[in-house]
Amino acid sequence: MSSETTTKIPEAATVPPPGAATPKRRVPQGHQRLLTRRDRLTLGLMAGLPTILHIALVWVTALASIALAFTTWDGIGFDSIQWVGLQNFKELFEQNPQFWPAVQHNVIWFAVLIVIPTPLGLFLAVQLDKKIRFSRVYQTAFFLPVVMSMAVIGFVWQLIYNPDTGLINSLIGANEPGKYIDWIGDPDLNLWAILIAASWRHAGYMMILYLAGLKGVDPSLREASALDGASEWQTFKNVIFPTLRPTNTVVLVVTIIEALRAFDLVYVFNGGAEGTELLSILVTSNIIGESSRIGYGSAIAVVLLLISLVVIVPYLVATFRKERRA
Amino acid sequence: MHPSSLGQPMPGTSRRTVLRGLGGAAVLGAGIPLLSACAGSSASSDPKTVTVGSNASDAVPKKGYGDVYAAFTKQSGITVDINTKDHNTFQEQINTYLQGTPDDVFQWFAGYRMQFFAAKGLASPIDDVWKTIGGNFPSAMHDLSKGQDGKYYLVPLTTSPWAVFYRKSVFQKYGYEVPTTWDAYVALCKQMKKDGLVPIAYGDKDAWPAMGSFDQINFRLNGYEFHVELMAGKASWTDAKVRKVFDTWAESLPYHQEGAVGRTWQDAAQTLVAKKSGMYMLGMFVAQQFSNKADLDDLDFFAFPEIDPAYGQDTVEAPTDGIMLSKKPKNHAGSVKLLEFLGTAQAEEIYLKADPSLIAASSKADTSGYSTLQKKGYDMITQAKHLTQFMDRDSRPDFTSTVMQPALQKFIRDPKGIDSLLSSIERQKKTIFASD
C-alpha cells in the first residue's frame, strides 16, 4: 500500500489545475483527457470483449432457449429442429403430472423461507447486535451453513434423514417395519424435511443481512427512544424495524430468488421424486441426458423465466424510480 | 489511500490506476481461450494409434479395460489412447460428445440406446468386423448388436443377468424351496413374513430398479414380443395386458421392503447381506455389496418365477455393454483391428480376470475361471430364448427417465389409481414418440 501512495502523490501533484497549464505539457483540447488514444483502444477492447461474451453467453442463449421452447429438438444436428408452436406448453400444462406440483412446491418453498427462517434470522441478528459475550462465535456458527455448498448440505442432511441408518430414525426407532418413517420417499414428508435443511441455511443468510442493516441504524435513535422511556420491544417495533426497510426489500428479493433457483439441495436429496418436484429440476431432467427433449425443457425454463420476471420487473422499476428521484 | 466517493471523478486517478484495475479483467479474459483449448481432444491421425472413449471410470473396470488394451498393443503394435470419463458424465454428454470430435471407438450399451445413435448416423456400421468375430457369439448377441437397419454397430463385451438373489443359509435354516411359479413365490413371501423376515428387499431411490421389476413381470406375463412392442412405443400402456402387469405387481408389493422410494439399492442389498431380508430381485452386480468372501459364497439366485406357462422363463434380462465405432474414426483400419481383437474370447478373459462380477458376452470365452455364481449366470444367459436389456436401454431414454421413472415410483409407493397413472403414461408417451 505504501509504495502505491508514494508513487501516486507526486503524479497527482503534477496534474495541472484546469486553466493553468504549464507550458511544457501538451494542453488537452476541450475537456481534460486522462487517457491517450492507445489507452482508449485498450480499454475499448477490455470492455468490448466482455460485452461480446456477455451478449453471446447470456442474451443469445436466453433468447435461443425462448425460441427453442416452440420447437422439438433432440439435440442432434440443427436440421432436426421442428417448429411445433405452443404444443410444448399445452403438453406441459395439460399432461405433465409433475408440472403443477413443481409450481406449487416453488411457491411453498418461498412461503416457508419468508415465514420461518427470515424472522428467525432477524431475531438472531437483533440478539447478536446487543454485543453479548461470544457473539462472534454464535455469528460464525449460524453463518457456517451459508458458506457451505448446497450440495454438501444435501449430503449432510441425508445422514440425518436416511430412513434406515439416519440419525432421526435410529434415535426414535422408526426404522423398523410397522413404525417406518420414510423421510426421503414419502411425498407428505419429504418436502418439509428438505425445507428444514433449506431453512437452516437461509436463517444464517438472513441473519447476516439484518446484522448489516442493524449496524447502519443510528445509535442516537436508540438513545432517544430510551430517554423517552420506550421498552426494548417498543424501541424495536417503532424505531429500529422501520429503519430496516431497505434491508427488508433486499431480504424479500433474495428470498424470492432462493425459492426460484432451489435445485441443488433437492437434486442431491432425492432427485426431485414425488413430493419434491421443482421447476428447475424438471428443466434439468428434460435437457440433460443422452437423448434430450431440449424444446420441452426450454418451455419449462421459459415458464420459470416468466415467473422470475413477474417478481423482478416491479422491483427494478421501483428501484430505478427511487434512484431517479434521489 | 486517497479519499474517494463513488460516481465522483477523482482528479487523483491516473491512467495507471485505471489500467491496473482493468489488468485483472484482462488476465481473466486471457484464461478463456486457454479453457477452450483444454476441450480440444488429443486426437491425432497417427496410423499407429487408436483413441478410445471410455466410461469405465470405476477402479475395477478401469483396470480391466486397461489390461485388455495393453494386451492389444502388445499383439498388434498399435497404441491405444484411452480417454476415460466419469461413468454418469459420459452418459449425460454422449450426445454432444458424438457430435463433436469423438474418439475412434467408444464404449456404450447394447439395445435401443445403441440403435438410437446408429440411426442418427453418429456411429459407423461394422459388418466387416462381424465377418471375423461372428462365430464367437451366440445368436442372441448377434441380434443385440444390430441397428434398426440390420447392420452391426456394436461389439458386445460383458453382460450379467437379472434374477432373484437369496442366501443359501437362510433358505436352509427355514427349509424354504426355490419357487418356480408365481403362486409359490407369493406363498414363500407369506411364509417369510411369518418368520420375521422382510420377504423382498427393495430400494428405488435412484428410480431405475423399479423398471427391472416391471420388465420381469411383463415378459413373464405377456412374453418377449410384447415387451419389445411396448418399449418401442407401439403397444399401448392402457392395454389390459399392461394393467395386468401392475395388478400382479401390486399383489406382491405388500411383501416388498417398506419405504422403497427413500432407499438406494445398496442399502436394500445390505439387508440381504445382514440376513434381514429373504430375497432381492436385481442384477448380478448385487454381489458387489457382499464384501465378505464367506457371505459371497453363500449368495445364490433363481430365475424370476413363471407366471404364464405359455412363456415360462424363456426371457432373461441381461444388460450388455460393448464398444462402437464413431462416425468418422481418424484411424479406421486400426479401429477395425482393435474391434476384432475385442471380439475374441481372449480379450474377454483378460477383462473378467480383473472384474469377476460380470460374464463374457462371447460363448467361446473360457468359463473355467468362473465362480459358481458366474457359471450359473452364464448358463442362464446361454440357455435363454430371448435376452432383453432393461427398460431404459430398450426404450427411448427421454421417455423412461422423464415419464416412467416418476410414474413407477408413484406406483410402488401408492399402488392405487393404476388406471389414471396408465392413461397419463400413454398420453405422454404419444407426444414423446411422435417427436421424431
Side-chain angles (χ1 to χ4, degrees), chain A residues 148-208:
Chain A
M148 285 205 296
S149 132
M150 274 291 205
V152 175
I153 295 177
F155 284 120
V156 171
W157 281 84
Q158 278 216 337
L159 300 177
I160 296 172
Y161 282 130
N162 185 310
D164 293 313
T165 54
L167 180 72
I168 301 179
N169 277 8
S170 303
L171 281 181
I172 64 174
N175 50 5
E176 283 154 30
K179 291 181 254 171
Y180 202 80
I181 302 178
D182 189 0
W183 298 102
I184 296 173
D186 188 338
D188 298 329
L189 283 177
N190 52 14
L191 184 67
W192 307 107
I194 207 160
L195 276 171
I196 290 176
S199 300
W200 175 66
R201 178 184 187 269
H202 199 68
Y205 195 178
M206 294 299 104
M207 179 196 73
I208 286 294

Coordinates of all heavy atoms in Angstrom, one line a residue, chain A residues 148-208:
Chain A
M148 N -21.2 -23.1 3.2 CA -21.1 -24.4 2.5 C -22.0 -24.5 1.3 O -23.0 -23.8 1.1 CB -21.6 -25.5 3.5 CG -20.7 -25.8 4.6 SD -20.9 -27.4 5.3 CE -22.6 -27.3 5.9
S149 N -21.5 -25.4 0.4 CA -22.3 -25.6 -0.9 C -23.5 -26.3 -0.6 O -23.6 -27.2 0.3 CB -21.4 -26.3 -1.8 OG -22.1 -27.4 -2.4
M150 N -24.6 -26.0 -1.3 CA -25.9 -26.6 -1.1 C -25.8 -28.1 -1.3 O -26.5 -28.9 -0.6 CB -26.9 -26.1 -2.1 CG -27.6 -24.8 -1.7 SD -28.7 -25.2 -0.3 CE -29.8 -23.8 -0.5
A151 N -24.9 -28.6 -2.2 CA -24.8 -30.0 -2.5 C -24.3 -30.7 -1.2 O -24.7 -31.8 -0.8 CB -23.9 -30.2 -3.6
V152 N -23.3 -30.0 -0.6 CA -22.7 -30.6 0.7 C -23.8 -30.6 1.8 O -23.9 -31.6 2.5 CB -21.5 -29.8 1.1 CG1 -21.0 -30.3 2.4 CG2 -20.4 -29.8 0.1
I153 N -24.6 -29.6 1.9 CA -25.7 -29.5 2.8 C -26.6 -30.7 2.6 O -27.0 -31.4 3.5 CB -26.4 -28.2 2.8 CG1 -25.5 -27.1 3.2 CG2 -27.6 -28.2 3.7 CD1 -26.1 -25.7 3.1
G154 N -26.9 -31.0 1.3 CA -27.7 -32.1 1.0 C -27.2 -33.4 1.5 O -27.9 -34.2 2.1
F155 N -25.9 -33.6 1.3 CA -25.3 -34.9 1.8 C -25.3 -35.0 3.3 O -25.6 -36.0 3.9 CB -23.8 -34.9 1.3 CG -23.6 -35.3 -0.1 CD1 -23.0 -34.4 -1.0 CD2 -24.2 -36.5 -0.6 CE1 -22.9 -34.7 -2.3 CE2 -24.1 -36.8 -1.9 CZ -23.4 -35.9 -2.8
V156 N -25.0 -33.8 4.0 CA -25.1 -33.8 5.4 C -26.4 -34.2 6.0 O -26.6 -35.0 6.8 CB -24.6 -32.4 6.0 CG1 -24.8 -32.4 7.5 CG2 -23.2 -32.2 5.6
W157 N -27.5 -33.6 5.4 CA -28.8 -33.8 5.9 C -29.3 -35.2 5.5 O -30.2 -35.7 6.1 CB -29.8 -32.7 5.4 CG -29.6 -31.5 6.3 CD1 -28.7 -30.5 6.1 CD2 -30.4 -31.2 7.5 NE1 -28.8 -29.6 7.2 CE2 -29.8 -30.0 8.0 CE3 -31.4 -31.8 8.1 CZ2 -30.3 -29.4 9.1 CZ3 -31.9 -31.2 9.3 CH2 -31.4 -30.0 9.8
Q158 N -28.7 -35.8 4.5 CA -29.1 -37.2 4.1 C -28.7 -38.1 5.3 O -29.4 -39.1 5.5 CB -28.4 -37.6 2.9 CG -29.1 -37.1 1.6 CD -29.0 -38.2 0.6 OE1 -28.1 -39.0 0.6 NE2 -29.9 -38.1 -0.4
L159 N -27.6 -37.8 5.9 CA -27.1 -38.6 7.0 C -28.1 -38.6 8.1 O -28.3 -39.5 8.9 CB -25.8 -38.2 7.5 CG -24.6 -38.2 6.5 CD1 -23.4 -37.7 7.1 CD2 -24.4 -39.6 6.0
I160 N -28.8 -37.4 8.2 CA -29.8 -37.3 9.3 C -31.1 -37.9 8.9 O -31.8 -38.6 9.7 CB -30.0 -35.8 9.6 CG1 -28.7 -35.2 10.1 CG2 -31.1 -35.5 10.6 CD1 -28.6 -33.7 10.3
Y161 N -31.5 -37.8 7.6 CA -32.8 -38.2 7.2 C -32.9 -39.7 6.7 O -34.0 -40.2 6.5 CB -33.4 -37.3 6.1 CG -33.9 -36.0 6.7 CD1 -33.5 -34.8 6.1 CD2 -34.8 -36.0 7.7 CE1 -34.0 -33.6 6.6 CE2 -35.3 -34.8 8.2 CZ -34.9 -33.6 7.6 OH -35.4 -32.4 8.1
N162 N -31.7 -40.3 6.4 CA -31.8 -41.6 5.8 C -32.7 -42.5 6.6 O -32.5 -42.7 7.8 CB -30.3 -42.2 5.8 CG -30.3 -43.5 5.1 OD1 -31.1 -44.4 5.4 ND2 -29.4 -43.7 4.2
P163 N -33.7 -43.1 6.0 CA -34.7 -43.8 6.7 C -34.2 -45.1 7.4 O -34.8 -45.5 8.4 CB -35.8 -44.1 5.7 CG -35.3 -43.8 4.4 CD -34.0 -43.0 4.5
D164 N -33.2 -45.7 6.9 CA -32.7 -46.9 7.5 C -31.6 -46.7 8.5 O -31.6 -47.2 9.6 CB -32.1 -47.8 6.4 CG -33.2 -48.3 5.5 OD1 -34.2 -48.7 6.0 OD2 -33.0 -48.2 4.3
T165 N -30.6 -45.8 8.2 CA -29.5 -45.6 9.0 C -29.3 -44.2 9.5 O -28.3 -43.9 10.2 CB -28.2 -46.0 8.3 OG1 -28.2 -45.2 7.1 CG2 -28.2 -47.5 7.9
G166 N -30.3 -43.3 9.2 CA -30.1 -41.9 9.6 C -30.3 -41.7 11.0 O -30.8 -42.5 11.8
L167 N -29.9 -40.5 11.4 CA -29.8 -40.1 12.9 C -31.2 -40.2 13.5 O -31.5 -40.8 14.5 CB -29.2 -38.7 13.0 CG -29.1 -38.2 14.4 CD1 -28.0 -38.9 15.1 CD2 -28.9 -36.7 14.4
I168 N -32.2 -39.5 12.8 CA -33.5 -39.4 13.4 C -34.2 -40.8 13.6 O -34.6 -41.1 14.7 CB -34.5 -38.5 12.5 CG1 -33.9 -37.2 12.4 CG2 -35.8 -38.4 13.2 CD1 -34.7 -36.3 11.5
N169 N -34.2 -41.6 12.6 CA -34.9 -42.8 12.7 C -34.2 -43.8 13.6 O -34.8 -44.6 14.3 CB -35.1 -43.5 11.3 CG -36.3 -42.9 10.6 OD1 -36.9 -42.0 11.0 ND2 -36.6 -43.5 9.4
S170 N -32.9 -43.7 13.7 CA -32.1 -44.5 14.6 C -32.5 -44.2 16.1 O -32.6 -45.0 16.9 CB -30.6 -44.4 14.4 OG -30.3 -44.7 13.1
L171 N -32.6 -42.8 16.3 CA -32.8 -42.4 17.7 C -34.2 -42.7 18.1 O -34.4 -43.2 19.3 CB -32.6 -40.9 17.8 CG -31.2 -40.4 17.9 CD1 -31.2 -38.9 18.0 CD2 -30.5 -41.0 19.1
I172 N -35.2 -42.5 17.3 CA -36.6 -42.8 17.7 C -37.1 -44.2 17.3 O -38.2 -44.5 17.5 CB -37.6 -41.7 17.2 CG1 -37.6 -41.7 15.7 CG2 -37.1 -40.3 17.7 CD1 -38.7 -40.8 15.1
G173 N -36.2 -45.0 16.8 CA -36.6 -46.3 16.4 C -37.6 -46.4 15.4 O -38.5 -47.4 15.4
A174 N -37.6 -45.5 14.4 CA -38.6 -45.5 13.3 C -38.1 -46.2 12.1 O -38.6 -46.0 11.0 CB -39.0 -44.1 13.0
N175 N -37.0 -47.0 12.2 CA -36.5 -47.7 11.0 C -36.9 -49.2 11.0 O -36.3 -50.0 10.4 CB -35.0 -47.6 10.9 CG -34.3 -47.9 12.1 OD1 -34.9 -48.3 13.1 ND2 -33.0 -47.7 12.1
E176 N -38.0 -49.5 11.8 CA -38.4 -50.9 11.9 C -39.8 -51.0 11.1 O -40.5 -50.1 11.1 CB -38.6 -51.3 13.3 CG -37.3 -51.6 14.0 CD -37.4 -51.4 15.5 OE1 -38.5 -51.6 16.1 OE2 -36.4 -51.1 16.1
P177 N -40.0 -52.2 10.6 CA -41.3 -52.4 9.9 C -42.5 -52.1 10.8 O -42.4 -52.4 12.0 CB -41.3 -53.9 9.5 CG -39.9 -54.3 9.5 CD -39.2 -53.4 10.5
G178 N -43.5 -51.4 10.3 CA -44.6 -51.1 11.1 C -44.6 -49.6 11.6 O -45.5 -48.9 11.6
K179 N -43.3 -49.2 12.0 CA -43.2 -47.9 12.6 C -42.4 -47.0 11.6 O -41.8 -46.0 12.0 CB -42.5 -47.9 13.9 CG -43.3 -48.5 15.0 CD -42.5 -48.5 16.3 CE -42.0 -49.9 16.7 NZ -41.1 -49.9 17.8
Y180 N -42.3 -47.5 10.4 CA -41.3 -46.9 9.4 C -41.7 -45.5 9.0 O -42.8 -45.2 8.7 CB -41.3 -47.8 8.2 CG -40.0 -47.6 7.4 CD1 -38.9 -48.3 7.8 CD2 -40.0 -46.9 6.3 CE1 -37.7 -48.1 7.1 CE2 -38.8 -46.7 5.6 CZ -37.7 -47.4 6.0 OH -36.6 -47.2 5.3
I181 N -40.7 -44.6 9.1 CA -40.9 -43.2 8.6 C -39.9 -43.0 7.5 O -38.7 -43.0 7.7 CB -40.7 -42.1 9.7 CG1 -41.6 -42.4 10.9 CG2 -40.9 -40.7 9.1 CD1 -41.4 -41.4 12.0
D182 N -40.5 -42.7 6.3 CA -39.7 -42.6 5.1 C -39.5 -41.1 4.8 O -40.3 -40.5 4.0 CB -40.3 -43.3 3.9 CG -39.4 -43.4 2.7 OD1 -38.3 -42.8 2.8 OD2 -39.8 -43.9 1.7
W183 N -38.5 -40.5 5.4 CA -38.3 -39.0 5.3 C -38.1 -38.6 3.8 O -38.4 -37.5 3.4 CB -37.2 -38.5 6.1 CG -37.4 -38.7 7.6 CD1 -36.9 -39.7 8.4 CD2 -38.3 -38.0 8.5 NE1 -37.3 -39.6 9.7 CE2 -38.2 -38.6 9.8 CE3 -39.1 -36.9 8.3 CZ2 -38.9 -38.1 10.9 CZ3 -39.8 -36.4 9.4 CH2 -39.7 -37.0 10.6
I184 N -37.4 -39.5 3.1 CA -37.0 -39.1 1.7 C -38.0 -39.5 0.7 O -38.2 -38.8 -0.3 CB -35.6 -39.8 1.4 CG1 -34.6 -39.2 2.4 CG2 -35.2 -39.5 0.0 CD1 -33.2 -39.9 2.3
G185 N -38.7 -40.6 0.9 CA -39.6 -41.1 -0.1 C -41.0 -40.7 0.0 O -41.8 -40.7 -1.0
D186 N -41.5 -40.4 1.2 CA -42.9 -40.1 1.5 C -43.2 -38.7 1.0 O -42.7 -37.7 1.6 CB -43.2 -40.3 3.0 CG -44.7 -40.2 3.2 OD1 -45.4 -39.6 2.4 OD2 -45.1 -40.7 4.3
P187 N -44.1 -38.6 0.0 CA -44.4 -37.2 -0.5 C -45.1 -36.3 0.4 O -45.1 -35.1 0.2 CB -45.3 -37.5 -1.8 CG -45.8 -38.9 -1.6 CD -44.8 -39.6 -0.7
D188 N -45.6 -36.8 1.5 CA -46.2 -35.9 2.5 C -45.2 -35.4 3.5 O -45.4 -34.4 4.2 CB -47.3 -36.7 3.3 CG -48.4 -37.2 2.5 OD1 -48.7 -36.5 1.4 OD2 -49.0 -38.2 2.8
L189 N -44.0 -36.0 3.5 CA -43.0 -35.6 4.4 C -41.8 -35.0 3.8 O -41.2 -34.0 4.3 CB -42.5 -36.9 5.2 CG -43.3 -37.5 6.3 CD1 -42.6 -38.7 6.8 CD2 -43.5 -36.4 7.4
N190 N -41.4 -35.5 2.6 CA -40.1 -35.1 2.1 C -39.8 -33.6 1.8 O -38.8 -33.1 2.1 CB -39.6 -36.0 0.9 CG -40.7 -36.0 -0.2 OD1 -41.6 -35.2 -0.2 ND2 -40.5 -36.9 -1.1
L191 N -40.9 -32.9 1.3 CA -40.7 -31.5 1.1 C -40.4 -30.8 2.4 O -39.5 -29.9 2.4 CB -42.0 -30.9 0.4 CG -41.8 -29.5 0.0 CD1 -40.8 -29.3 -1.1 CD2 -43.2 -28.9 -0.5
W192 N -41.1 -31.1 3.4 CA -40.9 -30.4 4.7 C -39.6 -30.8 5.3 O -38.9 -29.9 5.9 CB -42.1 -30.8 5.7 CG -43.4 -30.5 5.0 CD1 -44.3 -31.5 4.6 CD2 -43.9 -29.3 4.7 NE1 -45.3 -30.8 4.0 CE2 -45.1 -29.5 4.0 CE3 -43.5 -27.9 4.8 CZ2 -45.9 -28.5 3.5 CZ3 -44.3 -26.9 4.4 CH2 -45.5 -27.2 3.7
A193 N -39.2 -32.0 5.2 CA -37.9 -32.5 5.7 C -36.8 -31.6 5.0 O -35.9 -31.1 5.6 CB -37.6 -33.9 5.4
I194 N -36.9 -31.4 3.7 CA -35.9 -30.7 3.0 C -35.9 -29.2 3.2 O -34.9 -28.5 3.2 CB -36.0 -31.1 1.5 CG1 -34.6 -30.9 0.8 CG2 -37.0 -30.3 0.7 CD1 -34.5 -31.7 -0.4
L195 N -37.2 -28.7 3.5 CA -37.3 -27.3 3.8 C -36.6 -27.0 5.1 O -36.2 -25.8 5.3 CB -38.8 -26.9 3.8 CG -39.3 -26.6 2.4 CD1 -40.8 -26.4 2.5 CD2 -38.7 -25.4 1.8
I196 N -36.6 -27.9 6.0 CA -35.9 -27.7 7.3 C -34.4 -27.5 7.0 O -33.8 -26.5 7.5 CB -36.1 -28.9 8.3 CG1 -37.5 -28.9 8.8 CG2 -35.1 -28.8 9.5 CD1 -37.9 -30.0 9.6
A197 N -33.8 -28.3 6.1 CA -32.4 -28.1 5.7 C -32.2 -26.8 5.1 O -31.3 -26.1 5.3 CB -32.0 -29.3 4.8
A198 N -33.2 -26.4 4.2 CA -33.0 -25.1 3.4 C -33.2 -24.0 4.4 O -32.4 -23.0 4.3 CB -34.1 -25.0 2.4
S199 N -34.1 -24.1 5.4 CA -34.3 -23.0 6.4 C -33.1 -22.8 7.3 O -32.7 -21.7 7.6 CB -35.5 -23.3 7.3 OG -36.6 -23.4 6.5
W200 N -32.4 -24.0 7.6 CA -31.2 -24.0 8.4 C -30.2 -23.1 7.8 O -29.5 -22.3 8.5 CB -30.8 -25.4 8.5 CG -29.5 -25.7 9.2 CD1 -29.3 -25.5 10.6 CD2 -28.3 -26.2 8.7 NE1 -28.0 -25.8 10.9 CE2 -27.4 -26.3 9.7 CE3 -27.9 -26.6 7.4 CZ2 -26.1 -26.7 9.6 CZ3 -26.6 -27.0 7.2 CH2 -25.7 -27.1 8.3
R201 N -30.1 -23.2 6.5 CA -29.1 -22.4 5.8 C -29.6 -20.9 5.7 O -28.8 -20.0 5.9 CB -28.8 -22.9 4.4 CG -27.9 -22.2 3.6 CD -27.8 -22.8 2.2 NE -26.7 -22.2 1.4 CZ -27.0 -21.2 0.6 NH1 -28.2 -20.7 0.5 NH2 -26.0 -20.7 -0.1
H202 N -30.9 -20.8 5.3 CA -31.4 -19.5 5.0 C -31.4 -18.5 6.2 O -31.2 -17.3 6.1 CB -32.8 -19.6 4.5 CG -33.3 -18.4 3.7 ND1 -32.8 -18.1 2.5 CD2 -34.2 -17.5 4.0 CE1 -33.4 -17.0 2.0 NE2 -34.3 -16.6 2.9
A203 N -31.6 -19.1 7.4 CA -31.6 -18.3 8.6 C -30.3 -17.6 8.8 O -30.2 -16.4 9.1 CB -31.9 -19.1 9.8
G204 N -29.2 -18.3 8.5 CA -27.9 -17.7 8.7 C -27.7 -16.5 7.7 O -27.1 -15.5 8.0
Y205 N -28.1 -16.8 6.5 CA -28.0 -15.8 5.4 C -28.8 -14.5 5.8 O -28.2 -13.4 5.7 CB -28.6 -16.4 4.2 CG -28.3 -15.8 2.8 CD1 -28.8 -16.3 1.7 CD2 -27.6 -14.6 2.8 CE1 -28.6 -15.7 0.4 CE2 -27.4 -14.0 1.5 CZ -27.9 -14.6 0.4 OH -27.6 -14.0 -0.8
M206 N -30.0 -14.7 6.3 CA -30.8 -13.6 6.6 C -30.2 -12.8 7.8 O -30.3 -11.6 7.9 CB -32.3 -14.0 7.0 CG -33.0 -14.6 5.9 SD -33.3 -13.4 4.5 CE -32.1 -14.0 3.3
M207 N -29.6 -13.6 8.8 CA -29.0 -13.0 9.9 C -27.9 -12.0 9.5 O -27.9 -10.9 10.1 CB -28.4 -14.1 10.8 CG -27.7 -13.6 12.0 SD -26.7 -14.9 12.7 CE -25.3 -14.9 11.6
I208 N -27.1 -12.4 8.6 CA -26.0 -11.6 8.2 C -26.5 -10.3 7.5 O -26.1 -9.2 7.8 CB -25.1 -12.3 7.2 CG1 -24.2 -13.3 8.0 CG2 -24.2 -11.4 6.5 CD1 -23.2 -12.6 9.0

